[in-house]
PDB file of all heavy atoms in Angstrom:
ATOM      1  N   SER A 388      17.807  32.416 -12.559  1.00 97.00           N
ATOM      2  CA  SER A 388      19.107  32.112 -13.128  1.00 97.00           C
ATOM      3  C   SER A 388      18.980  30.895 -14.024  1.00 97.00           C
ATOM      4  O   SER A 388      18.110  30.031 -13.797  1.00 97.00           O
ATOM      5  CB  SER A 388      20.131  31.846 -12.012  1.00 97.00           C
ATOM      6  OG  SER A 388      21.399  31.500 -12.535  1.00 97.00           O
ATOM      7  N   GLY A 389      19.836  30.822 -15.057  1.00 97.00           N
ATOM      8  CA  GLY A 389      19.866  29.643 -15.912  1.00 97.00           C
ATOM      9  C   GLY A 389      19.164  29.848 -17.238  1.00 97.00           C
ATOM     10  O   GLY A 389      18.524  30.877 -17.490  1.00 97.00           O
ATOM     11  N   PRO A 390      19.255  28.855 -18.132  1.00 97.00           N
ATOM     12  CA  PRO A 390      18.715  28.985 -19.494  1.00 97.00           C
ATOM     13  C   PRO A 390      17.200  28.942 -19.568  1.00 97.00           C
ATOM     14  O   PRO A 390      16.624  29.425 -20.542  1.00 97.00           O
ATOM     15  CB  PRO A 390      19.337  27.797 -20.238  1.00 97.00           C
ATOM     16  CG  PRO A 390      19.649  26.787 -19.165  1.00 97.00           C
ATOM     17  CD  PRO A 390      20.018  27.589 -17.955  1.00 97.00           C
ATOM     18  N   ARG A 391      16.521  28.354 -18.577  1.00 97.00           N
ATOM     19  CA  ARG A 391      15.063  28.300 -18.611  1.00 97.00           C
ATOM     20  C   ARG A 391      14.467  29.503 -17.902  1.00 97.00           C
ATOM     21  O   ARG A 391      14.929  29.898 -16.818  1.00 97.00           O
ATOM     22  CB  ARG A 391      14.553  27.012 -17.935  1.00 97.00           C
ATOM     23  CG  ARG A 391      14.790  25.764 -18.735  1.00 97.00           C
ATOM     24  CD  ARG A 391      14.246  24.531 -18.032  1.00 97.00           C
ATOM     25  NE  ARG A 391      12.789  24.550 -17.860  1.00 97.00           N
ATOM     26  CZ  ARG A 391      12.085  23.488 -17.466  1.00 97.00           C
ATOM     27  NH1 ARG A 391      12.698  22.326 -17.204  1.00 97.00           N
ATOM     28  NH2 ARG A 391      10.782  23.567 -17.329  1.00 97.00           N
ATOM     29  N   ASP A 392      13.406  30.045 -18.468  1.00 97.00           N
ATOM     30  CA  ASP A 392      12.650  31.118 -17.811  1.00 97.00           C
ATOM     31  C   ASP A 392      11.482  30.453 -17.088  1.00 97.00           C
ATOM     32  O   ASP A 392      10.361  30.372 -17.619  1.00 97.00           O
ATOM     33  CB  ASP A 392      12.164  32.147 -18.828  1.00 97.00           C
ATOM     34  CG  ASP A 392      11.556  33.380 -18.164  1.00 97.00           C
ATOM     35  OD1 ASP A 392      11.238  33.311 -16.955  1.00 97.00           O
ATOM     36  OD2 ASP A 392      11.391  34.399 -18.867  1.00 97.00           O
ATOM     37  N   ILE A 393      11.725  29.977 -15.900  1.00 98.00           N
ATOM     38  CA  ILE A 393      10.717  29.207 -15.157  1.00 98.00           C
ATOM     39  C   ILE A 393       9.530  30.084 -14.775  1.00 98.00           C
ATOM     40  O   ILE A 393       8.383  29.629 -14.799  1.00 98.00           O
ATOM     41  CB  ILE A 393      11.363  28.562 -13.916  1.00 98.00           C
ATOM     42  CG1 ILE A 393      12.477  27.602 -14.342  1.00 98.00           C
ATOM     43  CG2 ILE A 393      10.319  27.836 -13.076  1.00 98.00           C
ATOM     44  CD1 ILE A 393      13.261  27.020 -13.183  1.00 98.00           C
ATOM     45  N   TRP A 394       9.786  31.354 -14.465  1.00 98.00           N
ATOM     46  CA  TRP A 394       8.678  32.247 -14.120  1.00 98.00           C
ATOM     47  C   TRP A 394       7.730  32.416 -15.306  1.00 98.00           C
ATOM     48  O   TRP A 394       6.504  32.391 -15.134  1.00 98.00           O
ATOM     49  CB  TRP A 394       9.223  33.593 -13.670  1.00 98.00           C
ATOM     50  CG  TRP A 394       8.161  34.582 -13.280  1.00 98.00           C
ATOM     51  CD1 TRP A 394       7.890  35.764 -13.891  1.00 98.00           C
ATOM     52  CD2 TRP A 394       7.240  34.471 -12.191  1.00 98.00           C
ATOM     53  NE1 TRP A 394       6.846  36.418 -13.266  1.00 98.00           N
ATOM     54  CE2 TRP A 394       6.430  35.641 -12.209  1.00 98.00           C
ATOM     55  CE3 TRP A 394       7.006  33.512 -11.217  1.00 98.00           C
ATOM     56  CZ2 TRP A 394       5.422  35.866 -11.277  1.00 98.00           C
ATOM     57  CZ3 TRP A 394       5.996  33.727 -10.276  1.00 98.00           C
ATOM     58  CH2 TRP A 394       5.211  34.898 -10.316  1.00 98.00           C
ATOM     59  N   ALA A 395       8.261  32.537 -16.520  1.00 97.00           N
ATOM     60  CA  ALA A 395       7.409  32.635 -17.710  1.00 97.00           C
ATOM     61  C   ALA A 395       6.623  31.337 -17.911  1.00 97.00           C
ATOM     62  O   ALA A 395       5.447  31.369 -18.320  1.00 97.00           O
ATOM     63  CB  ALA A 395       8.252  32.945 -18.940  1.00 97.00           C
ATOM     64  N   GLU A 396       7.251  30.196 -17.638  1.00 98.00           N
ATOM     65  CA  GLU A 396       6.547  28.917 -17.764  1.00 98.00           C
ATOM     66  C   GLU A 396       5.393  28.842 -16.777  1.00 98.00           C
ATOM     67  O   GLU A 396       4.296  28.337 -17.111  1.00 98.00           O
ATOM     68  CB  GLU A 396       7.532  27.769 -17.529  1.00 98.00           C
ATOM     69  CG  GLU A 396       8.608  27.663 -18.608  1.00 98.00           C
ATOM     70  CD  GLU A 396       9.678  26.634 -18.293  1.00 98.00           C
ATOM     71  OE1 GLU A 396       9.638  26.059 -17.176  1.00 98.00           O
ATOM     72  OE2 GLU A 396      10.550  26.381 -19.150  1.00 98.00           O
ATOM     73  N   ILE A 397       5.606  29.334 -15.556  1.00 98.00           N
ATOM     74  CA  ILE A 397       4.533  29.336 -14.553  1.00 98.00           C
ATOM     75  C   ILE A 397       3.390  30.235 -14.997  1.00 98.00           C
ATOM     76  O   ILE A 397       2.205  29.856 -14.907  1.00 98.00           O
ATOM     77  CB  ILE A 397       5.088  29.788 -13.184  1.00 98.00           C
ATOM     78  CG1 ILE A 397       6.071  28.747 -12.637  1.00 98.00           C
ATOM     79  CG2 ILE A 397       3.957  30.021 -12.194  1.00 98.00           C
ATOM     80  CD1 ILE A 397       6.807  29.203 -11.395  1.00 98.00           C
ATOM     81  N   GLN A 398       3.715  31.430 -15.477  1.00 97.00           N
ATOM     82  CA  GLN A 398       2.669  32.361 -15.896  1.00 97.00           C
ATOM     83  C   GLN A 398       1.908  31.844 -17.114  1.00 97.00           C
ATOM     84  O   GLN A 398       0.676  32.006 -17.208  1.00 97.00           O
ATOM     85  CB  GLN A 398       3.287  33.727 -16.197  1.00 97.00           C
ATOM     86  CG  GLN A 398       3.849  34.429 -14.976  1.00 97.00           C
ATOM     87  CD  GLN A 398       2.791  34.647 -13.903  1.00 97.00           C
ATOM     88  OE1 GLN A 398       1.692  35.141 -14.174  1.00 97.00           O
ATOM     89  NE2 GLN A 398       3.118  34.278 -12.672  1.00 97.00           N
ATOM     90  N   ASP A 399       2.606  31.204 -18.043  1.00 97.00           N
ATOM     91  CA  ASP A 399       1.943  30.619 -19.213  1.00 97.00           C
ATOM     92  C   ASP A 399       0.967  29.522 -18.786  1.00 97.00           C
ATOM     93  O   ASP A 399      -0.184  29.479 -19.250  1.00 97.00           O
ATOM     94  CB  ASP A 399       2.996  30.043 -20.156  1.00 97.00           C
ATOM     95  CG  ASP A 399       2.379  29.185 -21.252  1.00 97.00           C
ATOM     96  OD1 ASP A 399       1.723  29.743 -22.155  1.00 97.00           O
ATOM     97  OD2 ASP A 399       2.543  27.935 -21.191  1.00 97.00           O
ATOM     98  N   THR A 400       1.398  28.653 -17.879  1.00 98.00           N
ATOM     99  CA  THR A 400       0.524  27.574 -17.411  1.00 98.00           C
ATOM    100  C   THR A 400      -0.661  28.135 -16.642  1.00 98.00           C
ATOM    101  O   THR A 400      -1.789  27.645 -16.784  1.00 98.00           O
ATOM    102  CB  THR A 400       1.315  26.594 -16.524  1.00 98.00           C
ATOM    103  OG1 THR A 400       2.443  26.095 -17.245  1.00 98.00           O
ATOM    104  CG2 THR A 400       0.436  25.427 -16.099  1.00 98.00           C
ATOM    105  N   ALA A 401      -0.414  29.167 -15.824  1.00 98.00           N
ATOM    106  CA  ALA A 401      -1.502  29.775 -15.057  1.00 98.00           C
ATOM    107  C   ALA A 401      -2.580  30.347 -15.973  1.00 98.00           C
ATOM    108  O   ALA A 401      -3.787  30.199 -15.720  1.00 98.00           O
ATOM    109  CB  ALA A 401      -0.955  30.862 -14.137  1.00 98.00           C
ATOM    110  N   ALA A 402      -2.162  30.996 -17.064  1.00 97.00           N
ATOM    111  CA  ALA A 402      -3.137  31.555 -18.002  1.00 97.00           C
ATOM    112  C   ALA A 402      -3.952  30.446 -18.665  1.00 97.00           C
ATOM    113  O   ALA A 402      -5.183  30.561 -18.814  1.00 97.00           O
ATOM    114  CB  ALA A 402      -2.409  32.393 -19.057  1.00 97.00           C
ATOM    115  N   ARG A 403      -3.296  29.384 -19.063  1.00 97.00           N
ATOM    116  CA  ARG A 403      -4.006  28.272 -19.691  1.00 97.00           C
ATOM    117  C   ARG A 403      -4.929  27.576 -18.695  1.00 97.00           C
ATOM    118  O   ARG A 403      -6.033  27.138 -19.055  1.00 97.00           O
ATOM    119  CB  ARG A 403      -2.992  27.281 -20.271  1.00 97.00           C
ATOM    120  CG  ARG A 403      -2.138  27.883 -21.375  1.00 97.00           C
ATOM    121  CD  ARG A 403      -1.056  26.942 -21.850  1.00 97.00           C
ATOM    122  NE  ARG A 403      -1.593  25.756 -22.494  1.00 97.00           N
ATOM    123  CZ  ARG A 403      -0.850  24.788 -23.012  1.00 97.00           C
ATOM    124  NH1 ARG A 403       0.481  24.863 -22.931  1.00 97.00           N
ATOM    125  NH2 ARG A 403      -1.405  23.756 -23.596  1.00 97.00           N
ATOM    126  N   TRP A 404      -4.488  27.472 -17.454  1.00 98.00           N
ATOM    127  CA  TRP A 404      -5.307  26.842 -16.407  1.00 98.00           C
ATOM    128  C   TRP A 404      -6.556  27.676 -16.110  1.00 98.00           C
ATOM    129  O   TRP A 404      -7.647  27.134 -15.961  1.00 98.00           O
ATOM    130  CB  TRP A 404      -4.440  26.672 -15.160  1.00 98.00           C
ATOM    131  CG  TRP A 404      -5.135  26.073 -13.969  1.00 98.00           C
ATOM    132  CD1 TRP A 404      -5.578  24.793 -13.809  1.00 98.00           C
ATOM    133  CD2 TRP A 404      -5.455  26.750 -12.749  1.00 98.00           C
ATOM    134  NE1 TRP A 404      -6.132  24.630 -12.567  1.00 98.00           N
ATOM    135  CE2 TRP A 404      -6.067  25.816 -11.885  1.00 98.00           C
ATOM    136  CE3 TRP A 404      -5.246  28.056 -12.286  1.00 98.00           C
ATOM    137  CZ2 TRP A 404      -6.492  26.140 -10.600  1.00 98.00           C
ATOM    138  CZ3 TRP A 404      -5.662  28.380 -11.002  1.00 98.00           C
ATOM    139  CH2 TRP A 404      -6.284  27.426 -10.175  1.00 98.00           C
ATOM    140  N   ARG A 405      -6.397  28.987 -16.061  1.00 97.00           N
ATOM    141  CA  ARG A 405      -7.566  29.847 -15.830  1.00 97.00           C
ATOM    142  C   ARG A 405      -8.544  29.743 -17.004  1.00 97.00           C
ATOM    143  O   ARG A 405      -9.770  29.703 -16.799  1.00 97.00           O
ATOM    144  CB  ARG A 405      -7.124  31.298 -15.617  1.00 97.00           C
ATOM    145  CG  ARG A 405      -6.467  31.536 -14.265  1.00 97.00           C
ATOM    146  CD  ARG A 405      -6.289  33.022 -13.989  1.00 97.00           C
ATOM    147  NE  ARG A 405      -5.304  33.622 -14.879  1.00 97.00           N
ATOM    148  CZ  ARG A 405      -4.008  33.734 -14.595  1.00 97.00           C
ATOM    149  NH1 ARG A 405      -3.551  33.286 -13.442  1.00 97.00           N
ATOM    150  NH2 ARG A 405      -3.180  34.304 -15.455  1.00 97.00           N
ATOM    151  N   ALA A 406      -8.026  29.691 -18.224  1.00 97.00           N
ATOM    152  CA  ALA A 406      -8.905  29.549 -19.392  1.00 97.00           C
ATOM    153  C   ALA A 406      -9.633  28.212 -19.387  1.00 97.00           C
ATOM    154  O   ALA A 406     -10.725  28.080 -19.967  1.00 97.00           O
ATOM    155  CB  ALA A 406      -8.080  29.685 -20.675  1.00 97.00           C
ATOM    156  N   ALA A 407      -9.057  27.235 -18.723  1.00 98.00           N
ATOM    157  CA  ALA A 407      -9.685  25.912 -18.637  1.00 98.00           C
ATOM    158  C   ALA A 407     -10.684  25.818 -17.494  1.00 98.00           C
ATOM    159  O   ALA A 407     -11.278  24.740 -17.283  1.00 98.00           O
ATOM    160  CB  ALA A 407      -8.606  24.844 -18.459  1.00 98.00           C
ATOM    161  N   GLY A 408     -10.883  26.920 -16.757  1.00 98.00           N
ATOM    162  CA  GLY A 408     -11.860  26.907 -15.673  1.00 98.00           C
ATOM    163  C   GLY A 408     -11.265  26.579 -14.321  1.00 98.00           C
ATOM    164  O   GLY A 408     -11.997  26.240 -13.383  1.00 98.00           O
ATOM    165  N   GLU A 409      -9.947  26.674 -14.192  1.00 98.00           N
ATOM    166  CA  GLU A 409      -9.245  26.403 -12.943  1.00 98.00           C
ATOM    167  C   GLU A 409      -9.582  25.027 -12.358  1.00 98.00           C
ATOM    168  O   GLU A 409      -9.949  24.896 -11.194  1.00 98.00           O
ATOM    169  CB  GLU A 409      -9.517  27.506 -11.910  1.00 98.00           C
ATOM    170  CG  GLU A 409      -9.121  28.887 -12.394  1.00 98.00           C
ATOM    171  CD  GLU A 409      -9.249  29.952 -11.313  1.00 98.00           C
ATOM    172  OE1 GLU A 409      -9.685  29.617 -10.195  1.00 98.00           O
ATOM    173  OE2 GLU A 409      -8.908  31.116 -11.595  1.00 98.00           O
ATOM    174  N   PRO A 410      -9.436  23.974 -13.141  1.00 98.00           N
ATOM    175  CA  PRO A 410      -9.806  22.641 -12.648  1.00 98.00           C
ATOM    176  C   PRO A 410      -8.810  22.122 -11.617  1.00 98.00           C
ATOM    177  O   PRO A 410      -7.613  22.439 -11.653  1.00 98.00           O
ATOM    178  CB  PRO A 410      -9.756  21.782 -13.920  1.00 98.00           C
ATOM    179  CG  PRO A 410      -8.729  22.446 -14.777  1.00 98.00           C
ATOM    180  CD  PRO A 410      -8.906  23.927 -14.523  1.00 98.00           C
ATOM    181  N   ASP A 411      -9.295  21.303 -10.684  1.00 98.00           N
ATOM    182  CA  ASP A 411      -8.410  20.568  -9.786  1.00 98.00           C
ATOM    183  C   ASP A 411      -8.421  19.076 -10.116  1.00 98.00           C
ATOM    184  O   ASP A 411      -7.773  18.271  -9.445  1.00 98.00           O
ATOM    185  CB  ASP A 411      -8.782  20.788  -8.317  1.00 98.00           C
ATOM    186  CG  ASP A 411     -10.223  20.407  -8.011  1.00 98.00           C
ATOM    187  OD1 ASP A 411     -10.893  19.802  -8.861  1.00 98.00           O
ATOM    188  OD2 ASP A 411     -10.677  20.721  -6.889  1.00 98.00           O
ATOM    189  N   ALA A 412      -9.167  18.720 -11.148  1.00 98.00           N
ATOM    190  CA  ALA A 412      -9.189  17.339 -11.633  1.00 98.00           C
ATOM    191  C   ALA A 412      -9.359  17.352 -13.144  1.00 98.00           C
ATOM    192  O   ALA A 412      -9.979  18.265 -13.711  1.00 98.00           O
ATOM    193  CB  ALA A 412     -10.322  16.549 -10.978  1.00 98.00           C
ATOM    194  N   TYR A 413      -8.809  16.347 -13.800  1.00 98.00           N
ATOM    195  CA  TYR A 413      -8.823  16.245 -15.253  1.00 98.00           C
ATOM    196  C   TYR A 413      -9.365  14.867 -15.643  1.00 98.00           C
ATOM    197  O   TYR A 413      -9.163  13.881 -14.935  1.00 98.00           O
ATOM    198  CB  TYR A 413      -7.401  16.418 -15.815  1.00 98.00           C
ATOM    199  CG  TYR A 413      -6.795  17.758 -15.488  1.00 98.00           C
ATOM    200  CD1 TYR A 413      -6.139  17.968 -14.276  1.00 98.00           C
ATOM    201  CD2 TYR A 413      -6.884  18.817 -16.380  1.00 98.00           C
ATOM    202  CE1 TYR A 413      -5.584  19.204 -13.956  1.00 98.00           C
ATOM    203  CE2 TYR A 413      -6.332  20.058 -16.076  1.00 98.00           C
ATOM    204  CZ  TYR A 413      -5.685  20.242 -14.853  1.00 98.00           C
ATOM    205  OH  TYR A 413      -5.147  21.473 -14.549  1.00 98.00           O
ATOM    206  N   ARG A 414     -10.025  14.841 -16.766  1.00 98.00           N
ATOM    207  CA  ARG A 414     -10.460  13.556 -17.291  1.00 98.00           C
ATOM    208  C   ARG A 414      -9.250  12.810 -17.836  1.00 98.00           C
ATOM    209  O   ARG A 414      -8.407  13.391 -18.514  1.00 98.00           O
ATOM    210  CB  ARG A 414     -11.496  13.744 -18.388  1.00 98.00           C
ATOM    211  CG  ARG A 414     -12.053  12.408 -18.907  1.00 98.00           C
ATOM    212  CD  ARG A 414     -13.084  12.607 -19.980  1.00 98.00           C
ATOM    213  NE  ARG A 414     -13.520  11.319 -20.502  1.00 98.00           N
ATOM    214  CZ  ARG A 414     -14.336  11.180 -21.546  1.00 98.00           C
ATOM    215  NH1 ARG A 414     -14.804  12.249 -22.177  1.00 98.00           N
ATOM    216  NH2 ARG A 414     -14.691   9.977 -21.961  1.00 98.00           N
ATOM    217  N   LEU A 415      -9.158  11.546 -17.522  1.00 97.00           N
ATOM    218  CA  LEU A 415      -8.044  10.721 -17.967  1.00 97.00           C
ATOM    219  C   LEU A 415      -8.537   9.799 -19.065  1.00 97.00           C
ATOM    220  O   LEU A 415      -9.433   8.977 -18.862  1.00 97.00           O
ATOM    221  CB  LEU A 415      -7.498   9.912 -16.787  1.00 97.00           C
ATOM    222  CG  LEU A 415      -6.148   9.221 -16.942  1.00 97.00           C
ATOM    223  CD1 LEU A 415      -5.070  10.222 -17.313  1.00 97.00           C
ATOM    224  CD2 LEU A 415      -5.779   8.504 -15.640  1.00 97.00           C
ATOM    225  N   HIS A 416      -7.980   9.957 -20.258  1.00 96.00           N
ATOM    226  CA  HIS A 416      -8.381   9.162 -21.416  1.00 96.00           C
ATOM    227  C   HIS A 416      -7.387   8.010 -21.596  1.00 96.00           C
ATOM    228  O   HIS A 416      -6.186   8.252 -21.806  1.00 96.00           O
ATOM    229  CB  HIS A 416      -8.408  10.021 -22.688  1.00 96.00           C
ATOM    230  CG  HIS A 416      -9.276  11.235 -22.591  1.00 96.00           C
ATOM    231  ND1 HIS A 416     -10.578  11.255 -23.035  1.00 96.00           N
ATOM    232  CD2 HIS A 416      -9.020  12.469 -22.087  1.00 96.00           C
ATOM    233  CE1 HIS A 416     -11.103  12.456 -22.824  1.00 96.00           C
ATOM    234  NE2 HIS A 416     -10.179  13.204 -22.247  1.00 96.00           N
ATOM    235  N   LEU A 417      -7.861   6.796 -21.528  1.00 93.00           N
ATOM    236  CA  LEU A 417      -7.027   5.618 -21.751  1.00 93.00           C
ATOM    237  C   LEU A 417      -7.392   5.073 -23.118  1.00 93.00           C
ATOM    238  O   LEU A 417      -8.196   4.147 -23.261  1.00 93.00           O
ATOM    239  CB  LEU A 417      -7.265   4.590 -20.648  1.00 93.00           C
ATOM    240  CG  LEU A 417      -7.164   5.123 -19.206  1.00 93.00           C
ATOM    241  CD1 LEU A 417      -7.443   4.016 -18.204  1.00 93.00           C
ATOM    242  CD2 LEU A 417      -5.804   5.747 -18.960  1.00 93.00           C
TER     243      LEU A 417
END
Side-chain angles (χ1 to χ4, degrees):
S388 178
R391 288 181 64 169
D392 189 344
I393 299 174
W394 181 244
E396 294 173 355
I397 293 172
Q398 293 302 311
D399 169 71
T400 304
R403 297 175 65 179
W404 178 70
R405 287 191 292 268
E409 302 186 358
D411 57 10
Y413 299 85
R414 184 179 176 186
L415 193 57
H416 304 265
L417 309 179

